[in-house]
């Protein structure tokens, strides 16, 4: 049973919170309103032609319905070059207009302003990791409202894609190269960032929360979260880290998931895939985080990514302390 | 007043009875005569049976996927199983069903007859194509047994190279490689046949438009499919020998794979849709009893679509990180394909104007095609424009868009063609009442399945999602309900078509009043199609075709001078 973030959070924010329409989610970035203009231009042109074509089709079917099997056509027309040219040229003009509008919006989407807050995004199965300018890593994306944000993306394993529907932005995260996207959030609130390039078992749970905050609030959050040890105990920091980094694959309530549960793990005897048994002590947990492929628990696949370089020593200690608490 | 044209065989009672007992289906007889047949009609029938079987399999996977999506979280299957099922659904439907569907079944059956020929140019090559198809299909099934594939039908690396537990990947790729050869050989056969076996008097512009569309399709099959073959071969080599081609960890480039893959797979969309448009051109004209409007525009638009289709593959990669300049050029080029498609639709409407429109089952499918292709084609405009594509890329909007084009258009036209040529292929008429009922159910079920997916997509629900935010539950349930209705309609269709084989009324030679040559031989056709090459006429001139109440079909007449006919 997959119990990723969606399962654990009852108050998960909606992809399209209030303010959306039948067709589109609310506009929460500077680019959204232009993208929506393009959308509605194409929408109305399409609707016009769709109704025109189908109305004519229905009218002809009724008007020229064959009533007896030997009834013949009333018209012998086989071509009309002028008509052909008109109905080729009119759509041509319209699609060139669509191209141009889409192009203008795209130029805005791919050319970030020179002044932008840069956040690095590392994608890996199946979580997002955002690195803020001060070096803090987090699974949540917090951004100050009305500031230009530039994301530089890459991936640790396979191709992922970061999509934030409320901002109308999307970009693939490709291993071995950097890609970019930028946006300027315009509405304070909670949004979702989803992975939209298929990446394996819990692809659909590779979702991050996006918080658009007042700049002062953002600054406070970043300062607080950057040094959680100042305010919290090891076990509490461990709990936060596990919720953010591990919970899409590991449960804390005993349920099996992609990986084994953390409940009552610490100090227990663990049976490995190679038949041996180890005690889940501090060193076992540390090794599992840094070299996840070395000791595979029996019954599970070797799919866990390494956290080497991503978790500081103090954070690993915090996770171990939290596991001790879970074992009590 | 008129007399029956003595130069063509007509559906006289005696010849109809002959056709019923002595035709390509009955002679020669025995299993061996089918397995080693080089008759294009029998091979067409074998393809039809195989492809419909694959369609059933792909459809079962679709129903399981939709059932899982009735609610967020787990409903019936695990995430890994779901991922395997959507991979198999996609791979089966694309490679085993839609790409070969129309050319290999209906094209195989009617192309030579439409030319008044006895067979394709290379009958043995045709049989080889069939067995390559069968081999590829069996490899794909073998992959399921070997542990499955969960890469998505697009096989994107590095995922497809790393997906270690799924040993089916290499086998499926090998299957795709074989299927590619089957497709290339069929295309080659059609091109040579159309060039060399056209009868005297049939210039390029007296060919039925279905043949123009098959010709354009064949060109794509020959030019694009080898690239797919090379690509899957490179992927197999990389996976087995660890050469660095696409995997960044080995020094390769995953974006290169996407270029290679879509260089084939985008034109492949036109392999699917062009023959469908060809069928619709035939149906609209015959069932309106009126000359097709703008023949050269329709013919050239097929060629234009085939040509432009090669220059638009980059629109699958707008957000992949490819250069913005390339992205802009691909957006512009993408729109070039929309014009010839629009031209065809307008020409079909103009053909209906002033016609004598009969709403038999095949025509309903043609009209259904115009309706569904309208939605499928117009929603493509949102994806061609860059700003909107960035928002809609890889969402359910795309899923819905391509299902409207592939299932809603390509397969709907295939069903139209199947109902149109069913009397010719089997010699039996199906129940018109059940035909109409199934059609109505297909259209309702299809729209209920896929229309809600547009709304999910514009609100950001990504494709290939096992779990989804709870706000999408209602739309997903609508969609699943629609898929069940569609399933019922296909079962119903299978039932009345099979029933017609046993109990159906014997089909006259020309039940719909078509003017193309296949309606001049008996239903079902004799083994060698024609005793003597039939005279070639304008394929859309219905003036000399008259309803014959005795046979329940139509027959060709020779008009006698106007002064006499007044009497």
């Amino acid at each position: 049973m997959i119990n990723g973030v969606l399962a654990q959070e009852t108050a998960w924010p909606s992809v399209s919170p209030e303010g959306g329409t039948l067709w589109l989610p609310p506009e929460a970035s500077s680019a959204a309103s232009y993208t929506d203009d393009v959308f509605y231009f194409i929408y109305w042109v399409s609707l016009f032609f769709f109704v025109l074509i189908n109305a004519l089709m229905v009218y002809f079917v009724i008007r020229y319905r064959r009533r007896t099997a030997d009834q013949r056509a009333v018209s012998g027309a086989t071509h009309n070059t002028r008509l052909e040219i008109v109905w080729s040229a009119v759509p041509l003009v319209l699609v060139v207009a669509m191209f141009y509008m889409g192009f203008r919006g795209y130029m805005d989407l791919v050319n970030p302003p020179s002044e932008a807050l840069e956040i690095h995004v590392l994608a890996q199965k199946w979580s997002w990791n955002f690195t803020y300018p001060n070096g803090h890593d987090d699974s949540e994306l917090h951004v100050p409202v009305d500031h230009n944000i530039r994301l530089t993306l890459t991936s640790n394993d396979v191709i992922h894609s970061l999509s934030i529907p409320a901002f109308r932005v999307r970009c693939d995260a490709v291993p071995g190269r950097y890609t970019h996207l930028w946006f300027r959030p315009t509405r304070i609130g909670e949004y979702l960032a989803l992975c939209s390039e298929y990446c394996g078992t819990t692809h659909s749970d590779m979702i991050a929360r996006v918080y658009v905050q007042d700049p002062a609030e953002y600054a406070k959050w970043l300062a607080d979260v950057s040094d959680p040890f100042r305010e919290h105990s090891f076990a509490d920091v461990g709990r936060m880290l596990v919720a953010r980094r591990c919970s899409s694959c590991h449960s804390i309530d005993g349920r099996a998931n992609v990986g084994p549960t953390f409940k009552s793990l610490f100090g227990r005897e663990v049976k490995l895939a190679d038949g041996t048994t180890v005690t889940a002590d501090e060193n076992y947990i540390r090794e599992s985080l840094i070299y996840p492929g070395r000791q595979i628990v029996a019954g599970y696949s070797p799919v866990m990514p390494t956290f080497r370089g991503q978790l500081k020593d103090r954070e690993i200690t915090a996770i171990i302390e939290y596991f001790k608490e879970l074992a009590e | 007043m008129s007399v029956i044209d003595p130069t063509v065989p007509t559906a006289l009672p005696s010849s109809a009875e002959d056709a019923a007992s002595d035709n390509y289906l009955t002679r020669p007889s025995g299993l061996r005569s089918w397995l080693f047949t080089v008759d294009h009609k029998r091979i067409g029938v074998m393809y039809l049976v195989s492809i419909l079987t694959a369609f059933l399999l792909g459809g079962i996977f679709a129903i399981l996927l939709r059932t899982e999506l009735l609610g967020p979280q787990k409903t019936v299957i695990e995430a890994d199983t779901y991922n395997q099922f959507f991979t198999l659904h996609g791979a089966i439907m694309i490679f085993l069903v839609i790409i070969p569907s129309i050319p290999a079944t209906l094209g195989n059956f009617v192309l030579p007859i439409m030319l008044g020929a006895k067979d394709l140019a290379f009958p043995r090559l045709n049989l080889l194509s069939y067995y390559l198809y069968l081999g590829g299909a069996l490899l794909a099934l073998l992959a399921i047994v070997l542990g499955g594939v969960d890469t998505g039908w697009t096989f994107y690396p590095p995922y497809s190279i790393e997906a270690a537990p799924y040993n089916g990947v290499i086998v499926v790729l090998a299957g795709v490689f074989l299927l590619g050869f089957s497709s290339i050989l069929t295309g080659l056969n059609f091109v040579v046949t159309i060039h060399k076996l056209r009868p005297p008097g049939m210039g390029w512009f007296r060919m039925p438009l279905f043949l123009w569309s098959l010709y354009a399709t064949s060109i794509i099959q020959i030019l694009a499919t080898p690239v797919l073959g090379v690509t899957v071969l490179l992927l197999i080599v990389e996976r087995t020998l660890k050469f660095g081609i696409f995997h960044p960890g080995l020094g390769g480039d995953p974006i290169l794979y996407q270029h290679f893959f879509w260089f084939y797979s985008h034109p492949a969309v036109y392999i699917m849709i062009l023959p469908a448009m060809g069928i619709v051109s035939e149906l609209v004209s015959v069932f309106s009893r009126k000359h097709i409007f703008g023949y050269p525009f329709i013919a050239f638009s097929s060629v234009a679509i085939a040509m432009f289709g090669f220059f638009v593959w980059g629109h699958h990669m707008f957000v992949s990180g490819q250069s913005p300049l390339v992205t802009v050029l691909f957006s512009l080029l993408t729109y070039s394909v929309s014009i010839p498609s629009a031209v065809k639709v307008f020409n079909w409407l103009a053909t209906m104007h002033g016609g004598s429109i009969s709403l038999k089952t095949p025509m309903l499918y043609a009209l259904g095609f115009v309706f569904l292709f309208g939605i499928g084609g117009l929603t493509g405009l949102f994806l061609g424009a860059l700003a909107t594509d960035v928002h809609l890329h890889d969402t359910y909007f795309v899923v819905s868009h391509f299902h409207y084009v592939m299932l809603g258009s390509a397969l709907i036209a295939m069903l139209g063609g199947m109902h149109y040529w069913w009397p010719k292929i089997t010699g039996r008429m199906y129940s018109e009442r059940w035909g109409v009922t199934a059609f109505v159910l297909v259209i309702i079920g299809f729209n209920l399945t896929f229309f809600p997916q547009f709304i999910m997509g514009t609100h950001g629900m990504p494709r290939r999602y096992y779990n989804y935010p709870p706000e999408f539950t209602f739309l997903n349930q609508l969609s699943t309900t629609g898929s069940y209705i569609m399933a019922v309609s296909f079962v119903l269709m299978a039932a009345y078509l099979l029933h017609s084989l046993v109990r159906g009324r014997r089909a006259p030679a020309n039940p719909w009043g078509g003017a193309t040559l296949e309606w001049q031989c008996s239903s079902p056709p004799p083994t060698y199609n024609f005793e003597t090459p039939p005279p070639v006429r304008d394929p859309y001139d219905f003036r000399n075709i008259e309803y014959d109440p005795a046979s329940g079909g139509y027959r060709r007449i020779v008009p006698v001078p106007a002064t006499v006919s007044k009497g």
Side-chain angles (χ1 to χ4, degrees):
Chain A
M1 167 105 191
I2 301 307
N3 59 336
V5 275
L6 287 174
Q8 293 170 0
E9 304 282 344
T10 44
W12 195 246
S14 159
V15 176
S16 9
E18 278 173 36
T21 59
L22 169 66
W23 281 111
L24 290 164
E27 299 170 349
S29 77
S30 57
S33 87
Y34 186 78
T35 297
D36 292 1
D37 287 348
V38 181
F39 181 91
Y40 281 112
F41 172 70
I42 300 173
Y43 178 77
W44 289 113
V45 170
S46 302
L47 199 62
F48 171 78
F49 278 96
F50 180 72
V51 170
L52 177 78
I53 288 166
N54 286 287
L56 281 175
M57 187 168 85
V58 170
Y59 172 72
F60 291 163
V61 164
I62 296 168
R63 172 85 175 67
Y64 303 111
R65 180 91 188 259
R66 192 184 303 176
R67 289 181 177 80
T68 56
D70 55 358
Q71 181 179 323
R72 291 186 176 276
V74 292
S75 159
T78 58
H79 64 281
N80 182 333
T81 308
R82 197 177 296 169
L83 202 56
E84 298 271 5
I85 289 169
V86 168
W87 69 42
S88 307
V90 171
L92 186 66
V93 171
L94 287 169
V95 298
V96 168
M98 287 172 194
F99 159 74
Y100 179 72
M101 291 181 75
F103 161 71
R104 266 191 55 194
Y106 180 72
M107 283 293 109
D108 182 41
L109 288 173
V110 293
N111 290 306
S114 51
E115 290 279 306
L117 174 70
E118 177 137 355
I119 296 172
H120 285 265
V121 184
L122 180 68
Q124 64 180 19
K125 297 174 187 168
W126 291 277
S127 63
W128 295 101
N129 183 44
F130 302 96
T131 307
Y132 291 83
N134 69 356
H136 170 66
D137 284 327
D138 208 287
S139 65
E140 290 173 356
L141 179 60
H142 287 248
V143 289
V145 71
D146 290 325
H147 280 60
N148 300 325
I149 315 293
R150 183 172 189 258
L151 302 184
T152 299
L153 302 98
T154 191
S155 165
N156 226 359
D157 38 48
V158 300
I159 299 175
H160 303 272
S161 189
L162 184 79
S163 148
I164 310 175
F167 298 167
R168 315 287 191 270
V169 293
R170 177 189 317 270
C171 189
D172 284 5
V174 185
R177 65 164 75 186
Y178 294 107
T179 53
H180 305 278
L181 66 81
W182 84 276
F183 53 87
R184 191 167 78 241
T186 53
R187 262 177 54 160
I188 289 176
E190 266 182 73
Y191 306 95
L192 286 187
L194 308 108
C195 179
S196 63
E197 183 68 62
Y198 171 71
C199 58
T201 310
T202 60
H203 163 56
S204 58
D205 290 334
M206 190 169 160
I207 292 180
R209 284 165 179 268
V210 180
Y211 294 89
V212 178
Q213 294 170 305
D214 180 78
E217 230 177 276
Y218 163 75
K220 185 181 173 303
W221 169 82
L222 188 60
D224 196 35
V225 79
S226 300
D227 189 7
F229 295 97
R230 206 173 48 189
E231 306 247 337
H232 303 282
S233 69
F234 270 130
D236 284 347
V237 173
R239 174 182 299 115
M240 288 187 273
L241 285 168
V242 166
R244 270 191 245 132
R245 309 295 288 266
C246 318
S247 61
S248 61
C249 301
H250 299 273
S251 79
I252 53 168
D253 59 3
R255 282 182 297 172
N257 195 332
V258 176
T261 182
F262 293 151
K263 189 186 181 189
S264 312
L265 169 68
F266 192 83
R268 196 159 47 85
E269 296 286 302
V270 176
K271 216 170 165 304
L272 299 181
D274 60 11
T276 60
T277 306
V278 294
T279 307
D281 57 7
E282 282 94 340
N283 282 321
Y284 165 79
I285 290 165
R286 184 185 174 83
E287 178 159 287
S288 299
L289 285 164
I290 302 204
Y291 302 107
R294 284 192 185 163
Q295 296 182 319
I296 304 300
V297 180
Y300 293 91
S301 311
V303 293
M304 177 164 155
T306 175
F307 286 86
R308 184 171 30 169
Q310 295 184 45
L311 287 175
K312 301 182 190 81
D313 280 353
R314 222 153 47 128
E315 292 175 322
I316 293 175
T317 310
I319 289 174
I320 293 168
E321 290 305 313
Y322 173 52
F323 284 179
K324 285 180 183 167
E325 208 179 272
L326 282 177
E328 279 164 14
Chain B
M1 298 296 292
S2 48
V3 295
I4 294 162
D5 185 346
T7 62
V8 290
T10 50
L12 294 173
S14 62
S15 68
E17 262 162 40
D18 286 352
S21 57
D22 180 14
N23 58 57
Y24 82 98
L25 292 169
T26 58
R27 198 175 61 159
S29 64
L31 185 64
R32 273 175 66 90
S33 79
W34 277 86
L35 293 180
F36 297 104
T37 183
V38 291
D39 179 0
H40 68 99
K41 299 182 291 299
R42 285 188 165 194
I43 294 173
V45 170
M46 281 150 62
Y47 263 120
L48 189 65
V49 172
S50 313
I51 285 171
L52 291 178
T53 309
F55 180 67
L56 173 69
L57 193 61
I60 290 171
F61 283 124
I63 291 296
L64 290 170
L65 293 171
R66 281 307 333 160
T67 303
E68 172 53 41
L69 291 171
L70 270 170
Q73 308 276 354
K74 181 183 167 177
T75 312
V76 282
I77 50 177
E78 299 292 336
D80 283 327
T81 317
Y82 177 86
N83 294 341
Q84 292 194 30
F85 282 4
F86 77 64
T87 302
L88 291 167
H89 166 71
I92 289 173
M93 287 304 200
I94 300 270
F95 293 114
L96 293 181
V97 180
I98 310 181
I99 287 178
S101 64
I102 297 175
T105 59
L106 302 172
N108 237 325
F109 192 95
V110 297
L111 185 144
I113 315 185
M114 277 183 156
L115 293 175
K118 288 192 194 315
D119 208 318
L120 287 169
F122 306 119
R124 283 187 186 84
L125 201 63
N126 197 20
L127 186 65
L128 177 62
S129 296
Y130 175 75
Y131 281 112
L132 285 174
Y133 171 85
L134 205 61
L138 291 176
L139 279 179
L141 294 181
L142 181 63
I144 302 176
V145 182
L146 284 179
V149 197
D150 78 332
T151 61
W153 78 274
T154 46
F155 306 111
Y156 271 19
Y159 193 87
S160 57
I161 297 167
E162 287 183 353
Y166 300 105
N167 297 317
V169 177
I170 291 175
V171 182
V172 167
L173 290 172
V176 169
F177 188 78
L178 281 189
L179 291 167
F181 267 97
S182 163
S183 185
I184 294 169
L185 295 181
T186 300
L188 187 74
N189 219 338
F190 284 8
V191 166
V192 174
T193 306
I194 290 174
H195 271 278
K196 305 306 288 183
L197 296 189
R198 266 179 300 121
M202 188 186 282
W204 283 89
F205 291 92
R206 292 193 93 179
M207 273 196 325
L209 286 162
F210 182 48
L211 298 191
W212 270 97
S213 74
L214 285 178
Y215 184 80
T217 305
S218 302
I219 298 284
I220 307 176
Q221 286 176 302
I222 294 171
L223 293 182
T225 318
V227 178
L228 177 74
V230 170
T231 310
V232 299
L233 212 53
L234 287 175
L235 208 53
I236 293 172
V237 166
E238 179 157 29
R239 214 185 132 108
T240 50
L241 305 178
K242 304 291 177 223
F243 282 7
I245 303 164
F246 303 126
H247 194 307
L250 301 169
D253 182 356
I255 306 291
L256 177 67
Y257 172 86
Q258 296 179 24
H259 279 291
F260 281 1
F261 182 79
W262 292 112
F263 185 83
Y264 166 76
S265 294
H266 195 79
V269 174
Y270 303 106
I271 294 178
M272 308 176 201
I273 199 72
L274 277 172
M277 291 168 155
I279 287 181
V280 174
S281 297
E282 301 297 324
L283 297 182
V284 166
S285 181
V286 169
F287 289 93
S288 299
R289 238 184 154 191
K290 181 162 163 275
H291 197 286
I292 191 85
F293 191 90
Y295 180 107
F297 280 83
I298 297 183
F300 281 127
S301 67
S302 289
V303 179
I305 290 172
M307 205 167 66
F308 295 151
F310 274 99
F311 305 113
V312 304
W313 79 88
H315 70 213
H316 295 270
M317 303 165 60
F318 283 165
V319 298
S320 69
Q322 72 180 359
S323 106
L325 175 67
V326 170
T327 298
V328 168
L329 289 175
F330 274 121
S331 170
L332 184 61
L333 290 166
T334 294
Y335 279 111
S336 67
V337 186
S338 61
I339 304 302
S341 309
V343 164
K344 282 182 193 274
V345 173
F346 293 135
N347 275 294
W348 295 327
L349 282 180
T351 304
M352 289 169 65
H353 178 262
S356 162
I357 300 172
S358 155
L359 289 181
K360 296 281 192 212
T361 309
M363 181 60 163
L364 289 176
Y365 279 101
L367 301 180
F369 176 95
V370 173
F371 175 79
L372 297 175
F373 181 69
I375 298 176
L378 290 166
T379 50
L381 299 173
F382 295 84
L383 300 170
L386 292 173
T388 39
D389 180 75
V390 169
H391 177 55
L392 299 171
H393 204 96
D394 277 332
T395 66
Y396 261 78
F397 191 91
V398 177
V399 173
S400 187
H401 159 72
F402 71 67
H403 278 92
Y404 266 90
V405 175
M406 293 179 187
L407 174 57
S409 309
L411 266 170
I412 285 287
M414 155 97 183
L415 293 177
M418 219 170 82
H419 283 85
Y420 179 59
W421 284 300
W422 187 262
K424 186 57 63 184
I425 296 171
T426 65
R428 300 285 185 162
M429 302 301 288
Y430 50 83
S431 153
E432 192 62 30
R433 187 146 48 105
W434 285 113
V436 173
T437 311
F439 166 79
V440 171
L441 282 177
V442 168
I443 294 293
I444 292 173
F446 180 86
N447 284 292
L448 192 58
T449 307
F450 292 106
F451 202 82
Q453 297 185 2
F454 283 125
I455 301 172
M456 292 184 219
T458 55
H459 284 274
M461 177 162 158
R463 64 194 289 197
R464 296 173 171 175
Y465 259 32
Y466 169 76
N467 191 7
Y468 52 80
E471 65 192 279
F472 294 117
T473 308
F474 176 67
L475 289 171
N476 269 300
Q477 287 172 347
L478 276 186
S479 182
T480 302
T481 311
S483 71
Y484 293 161
I485 296 178
M486 243 194 305
V488 169
S489 63
F490 284 126
V491 170
L492 178 63
M493 196 180 298
Y496 72 74
L497 286 177
L498 290 175
H499 179 262
S500 79
L501 292 179
V502 193
R503 292 286 174 83
R505 180 165 67 83
R506 295 236 178 255
N510 189 358
W512 318 117
T516 40
L517 296 180
E518 77 273 25
W519 303 112
Q520 294 192 18
C521 62
S522 55
S523 300
T527 305
Y528 292 108
N529 302 341
F530 298 101
E531 295 276 316
T532 51
V536 174
R537 300 183 177 87
D538 184 334
Y540 300 105
D541 183 357
F542 301 101
R543 281 172 302 184
N544 298 327
I545 291 176
E546 185 182 68
Y547 186 65
D548 170 29
S551 69
Y554 291 76
R555 61 183 178 186
R556 190 172 279 282
I557 49 160
V558 178
V560 287
T563 47
V564 182
S565 69
K566 270 178 190 162

